[in-house]
Amino acid sequence: MRKTWPLGFFVVLSALAGHAIAGANTAQLNCKGRHAGQALTLIGDVPASIVEVDLKLSYGGQTIRLASPAATTSESTDFRHRIFRLEATLSGSNRLQLQAMPKSIRYKGSRGGGRLSASFDAVLKEAPEPFAIALKGVELRCTYAYEV
């Protein structure tokens, strides 16, 4: 005899599976700083276990959104070894590259444990247009939060 499951069981199971996957895929990045007397922010979702990004870079009254699939990303995160580097490319050489200053990295938890939080100072090695020249080399204070 075959067991039949009610449709609601699969809807709930699918919703729970989707929630777990969504939580495991991204982390929240929140960076703030000042340059030439104006506020600078880089806020949004960054890759944690898959390569997706949804960031907003704001400076001088302008905001640029760097989001998948238009933006491709690469990331190196190993807080235990004092490494955090994020690169988001919009097209060709129009990209954002953020790199943490290793000695400034403070963290607790782990991705494997389902919760990780970190804080660090970082440098914008590259910024996308129209900010490329103005923001290259600017320092930011960042927090990183991941939770399943």
Side-chain angles (χ1 to χ4, degrees):
M1 178 174 185
R2 287 180 53 192
K3 177 146 178 113
T4 56
W5 296 90
L7 180 60
F9 172 80
F10 291 107
V11 171
V12 169
L13 186 61
S14 295
L16 290 173
H19 178 69
I21 291 169
N25 291 337
T26 59
Q28 291 291 308
L29 181 68
N30 187 337
C31 299
K32 295 180 181 180
R34 295 194 70 75
H35 178 67
Q38 297 187 44
L40 167 65
T41 61
L42 177 63
I43 298 172
D45 298 329
V46 294
S49 60
I50 64 170
V51 185
E52 287 190 11
V53 66
D54 189 1
L55 290 169
K56 289 181 183 171
L57 176 65
S58 299
Y59 176 70
Q62 293 182 300
T63 298
I64 294 177
R65 185 170 180 216
L66 298 102
S68 301
T72 58
T73 61
S74 67
E75 179 205 7
S76 297
T77 302
D78 186 348
F79 291 118
R80 188 177 56 171
H81 291 103
R82 309 284 185 231
I83 297 169
F84 179 84
R85 190 182 124 282
L86 173 68
E87 187 172 302
T89 304
L90 289 168
S91 62
S93 62
N94 193 21
R95 73 176 133 229
L96 175 136
Q97 186 180 55
L98 181 73
Q99 184 170 339
M101 294 179 218
K103 291 183 179 185
S104 72
I105 294 175
R106 304 287 179 260
Y107 75 96
K108 61 182 173 180
S110 69
R111 282 190 188 164
R115 182 179 286 193
L116 171 69
S117 62
S119 63
F120 51 90
D121 295 326
V123 175
L124 272 175
K125 297 286 190 174
E126 292 184 57
E129 293 296 338
F131 306 128
I133 295 171
L135 298 182
K136 185 174 183 175
V138 171
E139 294 182 13
L140 299 165
R141 182 72 186 147
C142 301
T143 59
Y144 176 99
Y146 167 83
E147 186 174 347
V148 176

